[in-house]
Amino acid sequence: MIRTVPTKPYLDQKPGTSGLRKKVPVFQQEHYAENFIQSIFDALDGFKGKTLVIGGDGRFYNREVIQKAIAMAAANGFGKVMVGQGGILSTPAASHVIRKYKTFGGIILSASHNPGGPHEDFGIKYNAGNGGPAPEKLTDAIFEKTKTISSFKIADIDQIDIDKIGTVEAGGMTVEVIDPVTDYAELMESLFDFDAIRANFKYGFRMRFDAMHAVTGPYAKEILERRLGAENGTCRNYKPLPDFGGHHPDPNLVHAKHLYDEMMGPDAPDFGAASDGDGDRNLIIGKGIFVTPSDSVAMLAANAQLAPGYKDGLKGIARSMPTSGAADRVAEKLGIGIYETPTGWKFFGNLLDAGMATICGEESAGTGSNHVREKDGLWAVLLWLNILAVRGESAKQVVTEHWATYGRNYYSRHDYEEVETERANALVDELRAKLTSLPGTSVRGLKITNADDFAYHDPVDGSVSKNQGIRILFEGGSRVVFRLSGTGTSGATLRVYIERYEPDRARHDLDTQEALGDLIAAADDIAGIKSHTGRNKPSVIT
Ligand code: VG1
Ligand code: CO
């Protein structure tokens, strides 16, 4: 029943910031997905007879690869797989299932916020037994295996009916199809004050949640409308579609502009939120005010004790390097640790496992805590709802009061998408070459105090990750960071992160792009963005 199929390596299967992401036609090449899945198994040890979780964000090609993964898990000796019904498991829900049932690990099929469809993106990543994304050591080992693979193992079994909840035997292995929502919804109930949130809705609090036709729809419907009593229709675009309705399931001010416009309009609900393709990102917009993700993690950390799951306080806060320093001020006030990691959730795993950090965040709309080992979109939304319900205040009040207490970190990210790879590399190489000569010089009247290429020394396992983003620091604490995206599937994406700290509360309601104007101009002077990319302006500003 088990076949060993000869195959040839593909040389482009290097996992990026979050797993392997490629266009669907690339994944549809003969044995392309099989090679990567077998390489994952080949890089792991000791899973014979153990359980593997399999789920995805429901995008185009999800069902096909799930069938392959099940048949290959059987052939490779797993004892059981747990699959989300319909092939659906949000990334945070998958992380929770891995942890709750103490499984060996999981395979998550997603390209997250990237568009889906026959010509769009697909992705595969492996999460370990702690529920978190494979650390660099493991993704490097997987990549090595992909370069030399010569065969894969697959069981000759019929297609599994993944739409029917229940347990079947196939290929000498147990396949359990589980409800993707129940365990996750219970976890949320255990962390948050559902009574307070329910009462708030009852007394007229209105919200809008946009699932962007991605994976969080069924979760949001169940939790917000059924369990918390938000009015019917609170959740919009809640049906997961293989092509996300033709849109980018990226909850930012460009791709969720309709939500932003609604929240700034005259009849705005009290609170607006959205999540991405695989449910790990969040967009938070209060009535009349957008909350940047960097601010959001700081504000959630500052108020977390209002939620039952965090009533005993936080152990520490971790943020990715490009994320603004707003959270640092909260950590300082709380007297807890603050950790600065490279971009990508895999770097938070050790800090969470070691109990050094409780809340983590990234500027890219990712926030989460030690309840799972992934960022978690709905978790962030529910913590906001919990805080607003207990404080009895609007999001705008919470935000402005936070700025008054801690000062405001003006923050923006400029993305230049699908730049020719050579041109993007040339920009980075040139910048790197002049790093040592920059400190002490001034650009646009701004004095550079330091310039380096960020390297992370993991305080738990001692591993070192180099070249994680170029930082230019200015006198007064402002900074500009440059790095290339590790999640794109065509060309290169240059990300430029710009930040200025403003302690003066009389200057807290400036337009963000204006408040950062001189830094934005300085970034171009220093890196030659326009000349290298040939672009006059960014493709996306968040
Ligand atoms: C981006 C974000 C990063 C995030 C990653 C995965 O990576 O910047 O913060 O962890 O996406 O998020 P990059 O390398 O493109 O900058 V998700 O929601 O796409 O899994
Ligand atoms: Co995502």
Side-chain angles (χ1 to χ4, degrees):
M1 257 170 104
I2 291 170
R3 281 190 297 140
T4 301
V5 183
T7 187
K8 285 205 207 77
Y10 288 93
L11 298 178
D12 63 347
Q13 298 196 319
K14 186 173 168 52
T17 312
S18 180
L20 180 69
R21 291 188 192 173
K22 299 283 175 195
K23 295 281 177 217
V24 167
V26 174
F27 265 104
Q28 285 170 328
Q29 296 173 91
E30 189 182 34
H31 302 161
Y32 193 89
E34 288 89 339
N35 274 18
F36 191 69
I37 294 169
Q38 185 65 49
S39 298
I40 294 174
F41 295 155
D42 289 346
L44 298 170
D45 257 334
F47 54 75
K48 291 268 177 290
K50 304 256 169 72
T51 301
L52 181 73
V53 173
I54 303 176
D57 62 12
R59 71 179 57 223
F60 187 87
Y61 210 42
N62 195 43
R63 286 174 174 268
E64 287 84 346
V65 178
I66 283 187
Q67 296 292 345
K68 292 180 203 276
I70 294 172
M72 290 180 65
N76 278 275
F78 277 94
K80 178 178 174 178
V81 292
M82 295 173 83
V83 188
Q85 185 183 25
I88 293 282
L89 272 178
S90 79
T91 289
S95 181
H96 178 53
V97 170
I98 293 170
R99 294 167 64 76
K100 178 169 176 183
Y101 298 101
K102 301 192 167 48
T103 70
F104 186 83
I107 286 180
I108 303 178
L109 307 176
S110 170
S112 189
H113 56 289
N114 297 9
H119 301 288
E120 299 296 350
D121 293 358
F122 192 77
I124 304 181
K125 69 171 178 168
Y126 177 74
N127 279 34
N130 72 343
E136 263 194 339
K137 212 172 89 198
L138 183 50
T139 55
D140 287 347
I142 295 169
F143 182 44
E144 287 309 311
K145 296 286 181 192
T146 65
K147 293 193 238 173
T148 56
I149 186 168
S150 58
S151 65
F152 64 87
K153 285 197 210 127
I154 190 157
D156 261 324
I157 51 172
D158 290 338
Q159 297 264 309
I160 304 290
D161 181 358
I162 55 172
D163 293 302
K164 205 169 120 213
I165 289 184
T167 301
V168 294
E169 297 295 321
M173 181 184 77
T174 305
V175 180
E176 185 183 357
V177 178
I178 59 169
D179 179 291
V181 177
T182 313
D183 289 317
Y184 179 83
E186 271 168 22
L187 175 65
M188 293 301 116
E189 285 207 71
S190 75
L191 295 173
F192 300 116
D193 190 342
F194 269 41
D195 289 338
I197 302 173
R198 204 178 289 116
N200 216 20
F201 280 127
K202 197 165 160 219
Y203 293 120
F205 184 91
R206 286 193 308 133
M207 88 171 275
R208 169 79 65 210
F209 181 85
D210 194 329
M212 304 187 86
H213 287 304
V215 79
T216 42
Y219 297 85
K221 265 273 177 206
E222 171 65 24
I223 296 170
L224 298 173
E225 294 186 14
R226 297 198 193 100
R227 299 199 185 197
L228 288 168
E231 68 181 326
N232 227 329
T234 294
C235 300
R236 184 197 279 158
N237 301 327
Y238 59 84
K239 215 175 161 299
L241 298 175
D243 68 348
F244 308 114
H247 301 291
H248 282 234
D250 190 348
N252 63 24
L253 297 183
V254 174
H255 298 297
K257 186 164 187 307
H258 49 277
L259 178 67
Y260 178 82
D261 291 342
E262 184 180 4
M263 294 308 298
M264 298 303 137
D267 189 34
D270 299 287
F271 191 72
S275 190
D276 72 331
D278 62 334
D280 56 1
R281 297 186 176 203
N282 68 86
L283 170 70
I284 302 292
I285 312 179
K287 185 181 185 143
I289 192 163
F290 161 63
V291 187
T292 69
S294 291
D295 269 352
S296 181
V297 61
M299 292 163 192
L300 292 178
N303 292 282
Q305 279 189 273
L306 301 177
Y310 308 93
K311 65 177 185 334
D312 297 330
L314 310 179
K315 294 269 172 47
I317 307 173
R319 63 163 174 84
S320 68
M321 182 275 283
T323 303
S324 95
D328 304 24
R329 299 175 187 281
V330 175
E332 194 186 331
K333 188 159 180 210
L334 293 173
I336 57 176
I338 175 86
Y339 304 92
E340 190 177 37
T341 60
T343 293
W345 210 261
K346 57 177 174 263
F347 293 101
F348 293 132
N350 280 345
L351 297 168
L352 292 165
D353 284 348
M356 294 162 77
T358 308
I359 285 188
C360 305
E362 292 193 279
E363 52 64 42
S364 55
T367 333
S369 87
N370 59 355
H371 68 292
V372 289
R373 292 294 180 272
E374 287 278 5
K375 54 190 189 270
D376 188 344
L378 268 171
W379 171 91
V381 172
L382 290 166
L383 182 49
W384 266 102
L385 290 174
N386 189 141
I387 292 165
L388 297 180
V390 173
R391 284 181 58 152
E393 290 175 334
S394 69
K396 195 168 198 164
Q397 283 171 307
V398 172
V399 171
T400 47
E401 198 202 296
H402 187 96
W403 289 339
T405 308
Y406 296 93
R408 176 171 180 185
N409 291 70
Y410 281 102
Y411 187 87
S412 183
R413 187 177 96 189
H414 290 192
D415 291 337
Y416 297 79
E417 293 176 340
E418 296 189 35
V419 175
E420 282 167 54
T421 309
E422 293 90 66
R423 297 179 84 163
N425 287 340
L427 182 152
V428 171
D429 291 344
E430 263 179 40
L431 197 51
R432 246 181 217 136
K434 68 178 186 192
L435 281 180
T436 49
S437 66
L438 286 174
T441 61
S442 287
V443 188
R444 307 253 166 178
L446 298 159
K447 189 161 177 214
I448 300 175
T449 56
N450 213 342
D452 69 0
D453 198 344
F454 180 60
Y456 179 59
H457 298 257
D458 187 309
V460 179
D461 67 13
S463 60
V464 179
S465 305
K466 290 187 179 153
N467 302 331
Q468 296 294 330
I470 294 173
R471 307 187 282 191
I472 314 286
L473 308 179
F474 299 91
E475 207 166 59
S478 298
R479 59 172 194 160
V480 178
V481 174
F482 300 86
R483 62 178 280 283
L484 298 182
S485 156
T487 57
T489 56
S490 57
T493 292
L494 171 70
R495 303 202 194 284
V496 186
Y497 311 80
I498 309 124
E499 176 180 5
R500 152 165 291 137
Y501 177 62
E502 177 55 72
D504 180 1
R505 62 193 293 181
R507 295 176 51 80
H508 283 173
D509 52 8
L510 306 178
D511 173 79
T512 299
Q513 300 306 314
E514 278 168 29
L516 299 172
D518 53 350
L519 286 160
I520 292 168
D524 190 40
D525 286 358
I526 295 167
I529 303 171
K530 288 193 183 116
S531 58
H532 276 293
T533 63
R535 307 281 174 83
N536 279 326
K537 57 178 178 46
S539 347
V540 176
I541 295 180
T542 48

